Amino acid sequence: MKEASPAKAYALHLGVIVLLFALSFVLPEYHHGLLARIMVLAVFAMGYNMLFGYVGLLSLGHAMFFSAGLYGAGLAVIHLGWSVPAAFAAGLACGALLALVIGVLALRTSGVAFMIVTMMFAQVFYLIILYFAAWTGGDQGLVVPQSARVLVLGDTSLGLTNPTVRYMSALVLFSIVLLVTLAVARSKYGRVLVAIRENEERTKMLGYDTFSNKLAAVVVSGTICAASGAAYALLFGYVGSTFASVQYSILPLLWVLLGGAATTLGPLIGTLFMYYVVDITSGYTSAYLLIVGIALILLVLFFPKGILGTIRQRWLGWLP
């Protein structure tokens, strides 16, 4: 597979960012808000892709990292009265710390056992949220007050409830994570992760500490997912236990598989595709899940490595 030059790869990704920026001026109000939400959730998928796509570790517990950021930021604002930047940092810290602890424990296993262990930890986290309902809101969740969702930059105050500010904030987060993901994928460390995915024993024989590299990948992955969760709480103003359920661990897996695992833009394409297929079909029939299922089957048949993954395999081998 031919690898693109750094200039070509970064030009492609900067082009995508510029396109998303331009779309903010032409999209109708509904799609403007939907694309902001998609960008935040695409960050969640990019975090999942870091572990699943590049390391080959299938996790069913990433909802707990997303929720750690969600609750870390949301509760810091609601109960402690923290500012938006401080709350976002709290969400990142919660996700990173949780990922470190879970990584140390879960990486003692591999394969199916790793998947089951991460799912069990996620369920424990979900039950903890329900148990401390007085703080977390339990099943009903909590609404982050609009008055607290204000970003103060010097003498300027930006309300995150403003559609334009919300969209641009989502775009900034998405852009940073996208470029960081690209840098990691093209780095020596990224190549070590791929080597672990392809043949861990041979990677050990070459002198690499595979456990430390996998643990670092879990922490990076969990932190990115927590950034998505923290942004979701602050931009959309809701913190709920639903986001900690197993369903929200399966969704990023689906988005990554649709877009193409181990591709930098695949998570965005998968999230975008899935959201709009559901949105469009649900407007025509109550049996929209049947249509979505058929669309997914056709996609798997004709794009077995995901949309971008198959395009890379068949036509554009330089795509990162």
Side-chain angles (χ1 to χ4, degrees), residues 75-150:
L75 297 185
V77 170
I78 295 169
H79 295 303
L80 302 178
W82 288 12
S83 65
V84 167
F88 184 78
L92 284 182
C94 289
L97 181 60
L98 182 62
L100 177 62
V101 173
I102 298 300
V104 169
L105 298 174
L107 286 174
R108 297 172 181 271
T109 63
S110 61
V112 176
F114 180 83
M115 177 186 69
I116 294 173
V117 168
T118 52
M119 182 177 67
M120 290 172 60
F121 278 123
Q123 281 298 101
V124 170
F125 189 83
Y126 175 70
L127 293 174
I128 288 174
I129 291 173
L130 296 182
Y131 183 78
F132 291 99
W135 279 79
T136 64
D139 283 329
Q140 295 182 349
L142 298 169
V143 175
V144 182
Q146 291 189 12
S147 59
R149 294 160 56 200
V150 177

Side-chain angles (χ1 to χ4, degrees), residues 1 3 13 45-57 178 181-182 184-186 190-191 193-195 197-198 252-253 255-268 304-310 312-313 316-320:
M1 183 183 297
E3 183 176 289
H13 290 70
M46 284 191 279
Y48 189 90
N49 188 41
M50 180 66 65
L51 194 64
F52 174 69
Y54 293 101
V55 191
L57 290 174
L178 179 64
T181 302
L182 176 61
V184 171
R186 295 182 60 86
R191 288 169 171 78
L193 295 183
V194 173
R197 181 192 69 196
E198 297 299 322
L253 170 61
W255 297 333
V256 169
L257 289 175
L258 287 175
T263 62
T264 50
L265 290 170
L268 171 64
K305 290 193 173 182
I307 297 171
L308 201 62
T310 303
R312 179 173 66 180
Q313 181 187 39
L316 300 175
W318 58 268
L319 285 174

Side-chain angles (χ1 to χ4, degrees), residues 123-320:
Q123 281 298 101
V124 170
F125 189 83
Y126 175 70
L127 293 174
I128 288 174
I129 291 173
L130 296 182
Y131 183 78
F132 291 99
W135 279 79
T136 64
D139 283 329
Q140 295 182 349
L142 298 169
V143 175
V144 182
Q146 291 189 12
S147 59
R149 294 160 56 200
V150 177
L151 179 60
V152 180
L153 299 174
D155 296 329
T156 306
S157 297
L158 301 174
L160 297 181
T161 56
N162 181 289
T164 302
V165 174
R166 183 167 54 198
Y167 185 98
M168 290 304 173
S169 300
L171 178 58
V172 168
L173 175 65
F174 171 81
S175 302
I176 292 172
V177 174
L178 179 64
L179 294 176
V180 167
T181 302
L182 176 61
V184 171
R186 295 182 60 86
S187 68
K188 179 182 176 181
Y189 172 67
R191 288 169 171 78
V192 172
L193 295 183
V194 173
I196 292 172
R197 181 192 69 196
E198 297 299 322
N199 194 321
E200 184 171 353
E201 291 304 316
R202 184 171 293 179
T203 307
K204 287 181 180 178
M205 290 175 61
L206 291 173
Y208 291 101
D209 184 346
T210 57
F211 180 84
S212 297
N213 280 285
K214 288 193 293 184
L215 179 59
V218 171
V219 174
V220 172
S221 175
T223 304
I224 292 174
C225 293
S228 175
Y232 195 96
L234 297 171
L235 295 179
F236 301 104
Y238 178 69
V239 175
S241 61
T242 305
F243 295 107
S245 64
V246 175
Q247 174 191 355
Y248 269 84
S249 289
I250 296 174
L251 283 176
L253 170 61
L254 180 60
W255 297 333
V256 169
L257 289 175
L258 287 175
T263 62
T264 50
L265 290 170
L268 171 64
I269 293 174
T271 309
L272 190 68
F273 176 85
M274 189 65 184
Y275 249 78
Y276 269 100
V277 167
V278 172
D279 185 66
I280 293 171
T281 55
S282 61
Y284 289 97
T285 175
S286 59
Y288 67 92
L289 287 178
L290 176 62
I291 299 175
V292 171
I294 294 172
L296 295 180
I297 291 172
L298 292 174
L299 192 65
V300 170
L301 289 175
F302 293 102
F303 293 87
K305 290 193 173 182
I307 297 171
L308 201 62
T310 303
I311 291 174
R312 179 173 66 180
Q313 181 187 39
R314 296 178 181 175
W315 301 295
L316 300 175
W318 58 268
L319 285 174

Side-chain angles (χ1 to χ4, degrees), residues 11-32:
L12 171 65
H13 290 70
L14 290 173
V16 171
I17 293 170
V18 170
L19 175 62
L20 290 171
F21 177 76
L23 285 174
S24 68
F25 299 101
V26 298
L27 285 176
E29 182 180 354
Y30 173 76
H31 295 285
H32 190 274

